[in-house]
């Protein structure tokens, strides 16, 4: 083997050189190997391959100068065309890394000092393995046959990559059309109260970019794999390919470990949700039976069974969410905590009115103030209660309109229930007429009661009656009160209209004028009813 030009003692034998090296290490080495940190560390990188990092100076040579000298020795030894066997030889206070028995560099104890979990022998063995790999890489890069094979593999991999990218582009176009059509069909079926909730065209247009983004992600992944493959084919660029490959494997490993670590928590979350669904189903069955009257409970009836069932379901699922929250993936991260605080703040600020409405709705339900199907008068609204919700109450007036009342308004106003006394499907009807003082009150009473009895749907029991609610300056105010049964028109306005029609017919038939007099001056004769006229028909006919 040819002697190296960088060898300081080319004419001495190997034994003599070993003796001088040991003596130098024993006498000068400890004094000249400086402590770590006096000079910046320097990495020995040969042919783009990381071999070792020098951290201390040796014989006055800085780590950077030691790395430069090692690169020169390596180049000279490799040019000697020897077997290229890398070995480790112990020396005092260090290990000598050799190629074919000739030293390339030394691993000193100071190079390992301060590195946690590192030992001198282990570090030297790792440097030996990396240097052996470097020798193989350099000789591979100098071999034209290997270079041709690597170039052929790179060209083949590039051709496969181009083919896959073209197929992906074709699939992107076809999948985009298919996905847009699928979204259009599903959106067309989504209706609320017979009206399409989302315009078909706008959502279908937005569906194409979703497929394009997925295709671009797949294309970038293929490009990443192609780059790793091509760089790994050549000795000089192989470290870059290995770094890219290791980065991808690290990411996949981290994702896999995260998924595997989240599986027990997800299983527990699923168990909590299944148990909650089971309990919710059992409770729902009980409340449905109570709603249908099959179960009699003192504190629960058919009117409150439905709201109670919904409240119990909400409570169960909120409890399940609180139990499952700590086991959700990422529940302990700062981002998840920040989102939770933000959502809680938004709910607490924006839901005060909603909570008040919901509380009013519960008050109405559980105090049984009104029920669906009853005729009520709340503030200026009068009609049939069609829906009693958690936030609002809906009333149909019978005049072609529906009034939506916030539950807080219902609780804060006087509610007149016109169906509670009658029971069933009936309701109370009443009307007011004002008649002059010259008409006998007994006759007016009889006419009003007769009108009620002959109106379709008015009940005989309880019997209709008349009360004189006011003796005004110019007239007497009469109020007729009657109960309408199931035979009456369901719309209260129509039933009252029929009653008014009958009152008009009877008053006209008996010549009683429905007109409230107002005076311009005192009449010539007193407006009184003589005793002989007190019992005018139809008054007194049934006695």
């Amino acid at each position: 083997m040819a002697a190296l030009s960088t060898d300081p003692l080319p004419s001495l034998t190997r034994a003599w050189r070993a003796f001088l090296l040991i003596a130098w290490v024993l006498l000068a080495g400890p004094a000249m190997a400086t402590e770590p940190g006096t000079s910046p560390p320097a990495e020995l990188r040969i042919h783009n391959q990381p071999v070792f990092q020098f951290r201390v100076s040796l014989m006055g040579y800085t780590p950077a100068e030691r790395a430069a000298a090692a690169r020169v020795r390596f180049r000279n030894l490799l040019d000697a065309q020897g077997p290229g066997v890398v070995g480790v030889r112990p020396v005092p206070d260090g290990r000598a890394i050799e190629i074919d028995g000739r030293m390339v560099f030394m691993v000193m104890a100071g190079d390992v000092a301060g590195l946690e979990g590192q030992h001198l022998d282990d570090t030297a063995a790792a440097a030996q393995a990396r240097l052996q790999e470097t020798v193989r890489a350099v000789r591979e890069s100098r071999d034209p046959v290997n270079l041709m094979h690597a170039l052929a593999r790179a060209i083949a991999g590039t051709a496969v990559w181009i083919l896959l990218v073209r197929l992906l582009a074709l699939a992107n176009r076809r999948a985009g059309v298919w996905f847009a059509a699928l979204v259009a069909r599903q959106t067309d079926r989504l209706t609320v109260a017979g009206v399409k909730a989302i315009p078909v065209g706008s959502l279908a247009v937005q569906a194409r970019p979703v497929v394009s983004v997925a295709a671009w992600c797949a294309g970038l992944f293929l490009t990443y794999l192609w780059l790793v493959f091509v760089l790994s084919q050549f000795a000089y660029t192989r470290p870059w390919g290995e770094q890219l490959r290791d980065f991808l494997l690290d990411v996949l490993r981290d994702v896999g470990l995260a998924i595997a670590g989240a599986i027990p928590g997800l299983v527990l979350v699923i168990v909590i949700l299944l148990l909650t669904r089971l309990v919710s189903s059992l409770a729902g069955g009980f409340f449905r039976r109570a709603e249908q009257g099959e179960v009699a409970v003192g504190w629960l009836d058919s009117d409150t069974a439905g709201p109670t069932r919904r409240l119990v379901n909400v409570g169960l699922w909120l409890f399940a969410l609180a139990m499952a929250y700590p086991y959700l993936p990422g529940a302990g991260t700062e981002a998840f905590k920040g989102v939770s605080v933000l959502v809680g703040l938004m709910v607490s600020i924006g839901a005060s009115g909603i909570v008040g409405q919901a509380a009013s709705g519960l008050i109405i339900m559980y105090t049984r103030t009104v029920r669906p199907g009853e005729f009520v008068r709340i503030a200026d609204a009068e009609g049939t209660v069609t829906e009693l919700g958690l936030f609002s109450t809906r009333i149909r007036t019978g005049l072609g309109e529906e009034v939506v009342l916030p539950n807080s308004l219902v609780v804060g106003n006087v509610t007149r229930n016109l169906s509670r006394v009658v029971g069933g499907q009936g309701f109370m009807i009443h009307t007011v007429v004002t008649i002059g003082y010259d008409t006998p009150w007994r006759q007016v009473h009889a006419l009003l009661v007769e009108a009620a009895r002959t109106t379709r749907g008015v009940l005989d029991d309880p019997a209709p009656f008349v009360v004189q609610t006011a003796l005004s300056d110019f007239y007497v105010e009469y109020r007729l009160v009657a109960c309408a049964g199931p035979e009456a028109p369901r719309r209260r306005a129509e039933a009252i209209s029929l009653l008014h029609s009958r009152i008009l017919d009877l008053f006209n038939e008996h010549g009683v004028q429905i007109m409230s007099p107002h005076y311009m001056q005192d009449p010539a004769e007193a407006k009184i009813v003589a005793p002989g006229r007190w019992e005018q028909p139809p008054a007194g006919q049934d006695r």
Side-chain angles (χ1 to χ4, degrees):
M1 180 181 297
L4 297 178
S5 60
T6 58
D7 196 337
L9 302 174
S11 60
L12 299 177
T13 63
R14 181 178 301 178
W16 179 245
R17 284 182 298 171
F19 173 76
L20 291 179
L21 179 62
I22 294 173
W24 168 75
V25 170
L26 290 176
L27 298 177
M32 295 184 178
T34 61
E35 294 295 328
T38 57
S39 297
E43 184 183 28
L44 174 59
R45 181 175 288 270
I46 302 175
H47 202 72
N48 203 28
Q49 302 281 338
V51 180
F52 185 70
Q53 187 177 48
F54 298 104
R55 302 181 66 245
V56 296
S57 299
L58 183 64
M59 294 184 63
Y61 291 95
T62 64
E65 293 171 339
R66 291 177 61 192
R71 278 190 289 271
V72 173
R73 295 190 189 99
F74 176 85
R75 189 181 308 113
N76 293 334
L77 287 172
L78 213 63
D79 291 341
Q81 300 297 323
V85 178
V86 180
V88 178
R89 179 165 51 87
V91 295
D93 200 28
R95 300 291 184 270
I97 308 300
E98 302 175 333
I99 295 179
D100 297 333
R102 294 176 179 270
M103 185 185 69
V104 180
F105 61 90
M106 291 183 61
V107 179
M108 306 301 297
D111 295 324
V112 185
L115 299 179
E116 184 178 355
Q118 297 291 328
H119 190 268
L120 180 60
D121 291 333
D122 297 334
T123 305
Q128 176 192 7
R130 288 192 292 269
L131 187 60
Q132 186 68 66
E133 176 64 24
T134 303
V135 171
R136 188 191 65 80
V138 172
R139 290 187 171 178
E140 178 184 341
S141 63
R142 294 179 178 180
D143 188 353
V145 177
N146 287 333
L147 285 176
M148 293 301 296
H149 289 169
L151 183 61
R153 290 193 296 269
I155 293 175
T158 302
V160 172
W161 170 72
I162 294 175
L163 177 62
L164 291 177
V165 169
R166 288 185 175 274
L167 292 177
L168 186 61
L170 179 61
N172 176 32
R173 290 192 293 270
R174 294 187 177 181
V177 175
W178 172 82
F179 187 64
L182 177 63
V183 170
R185 289 196 302 270
Q186 297 299 326
T187 306
D188 189 56
R189 300 175 184 174
L190 183 61
T191 58
V192 177
V195 180
K196 293 181 179 180
I198 303 175
V200 178
S202 61
L203 195 59
V205 170
Q206 299 298 326
R208 291 294 300 273
V210 174
V211 179
S212 298
V213 169
W216 271 99
C217 293
L220 291 176
F221 183 73
L222 288 176
T223 304
Y224 192 95
L225 295 180
W226 166 79
L227 188 60
V228 171
F229 176 78
V230 171
L231 292 178
S232 300
Q233 302 309 309
F234 302 95
Y236 188 82
T237 60
R238 187 172 297 128
W240 298 337
E242 291 175 351
Q243 290 178 2
L244 293 177
R245 181 198 62 195
D246 293 341
F247 174 76
L248 180 61
L249 293 179
D250 290 341
V251 171
L252 294 178
R253 184 184 68 251
D254 293 341
V255 172
L257 291 177
I259 294 175
I263 288 176
L266 290 176
V267 171
L268 190 56
V269 169
I270 293 174
V271 170
I272 292 174
L273 295 181
L274 291 178
L275 290 177
T276 304
R277 182 177 180 183
L278 176 62
V279 175
S280 176
S281 300
L282 294 176
F286 169 77
F287 287 114
R288 288 190 184 91
R289 293 179 62 190
E291 192 172 1
Q292 296 171 1
E294 299 178 4
V295 177
V297 182
W299 55 272
L300 193 66
D301 57 17
S302 58
D303 294 325
T304 57
T308 305
R309 173 174 54 84
R310 290 191 288 269
L311 288 176
V312 170
N313 279 338
V314 170
L316 284 174
W317 286 108
L318 287 178
F319 179 75
L321 180 61
M323 292 291 294
Y325 173 82
Y327 303 102
L328 293 174
T333 60
E334 296 299 328
F336 209 108
K337 294 177 182 178
V339 171
S340 302
V341 172
L342 178 61
V343 172
L345 183 62
M346 294 173 60
V347 171
S348 62
I349 294 176
S352 56
I354 297 176
V355 173
Q357 295 291 347
S360 300
L362 294 177
I363 292 173
I364 296 172
M365 293 175 188
Y366 284 97
T367 58
R368 300 172 179 84
T369 304
V370 295
R371 296 172 180 172
E374 293 182 337
F375 287 90
V376 297
R377 178 182 295 167
I378 304 172
D380 295 332
E382 177 181 314
T384 306
V385 178
T386 58
E387 181 182 345
L388 186 60
L390 190 62
F391 302 105
S392 63
T393 300
R394 296 180 181 270
I395 295 177
R396 288 185 181 176
T397 62
L399 299 177
E401 61 183 4
E402 183 179 67
V403 181
V404 181
L405 302 175
N407 284 335
S408 59
L409 178 65
V410 178
V411 173
N413 284 270
V414 177
T415 300
R416 291 180 173 86
N417 196 316
L418 304 175
S419 297
R420 189 64 56 83
V421 177
V422 180
Q425 298 296 324
F427 49 87
M428 299 295 297
I429 56 175
H430 49 78
T431 187
V432 176
V433 295
T434 54
I435 307 297
Y437 282 95
D438 56 346
T439 302
W441 65 266
R442 294 178 181 84
Q443 183 183 25
V444 176
H445 279 219
L447 287 172
L448 291 174
V449 170
E450 181 65 21
R453 288 177 176 175
T454 56
T455 301
R456 178 170 61 90
V458 175
L459 299 176
D460 293 332
D461 186 20
F465 61 93
V466 180
V467 293
Q468 294 166 194
T469 56
L471 299 176
S472 301
D473 292 339
F474 309 122
Y475 49 78
V476 181
E477 183 177 294
Y478 301 90
R479 180 179 293 271
L480 171 63
V481 181
C483 297
E487 297 81 7
R490 298 191 61 183
R491 295 186 301 177
R492 187 170 180 272
E494 185 178 350
I496 293 178
S497 177
L498 292 176
L499 178 62
H500 287 168
S501 301
R502 188 57 183 155
I503 290 173
L504 289 172
D505 291 341
L506 282 177
F507 274 61
N508 289 330
E509 182 181 342
H510 289 83
V512 177
Q513 176 179 277
I514 303 180
M515 179 180 291
S516 302
H518 289 262
Y519 290 102
M520 297 297 294
Q521 61 183 4
D522 290 337
E525 298 179 358
K527 291 291 187 177
I528 60 174
V529 179
R533 297 176 54 207
W534 286 2
E535 301 290 342
Q536 285 191 359
Q541 294 182 357
D542 55 348
R543 297 182 181 179

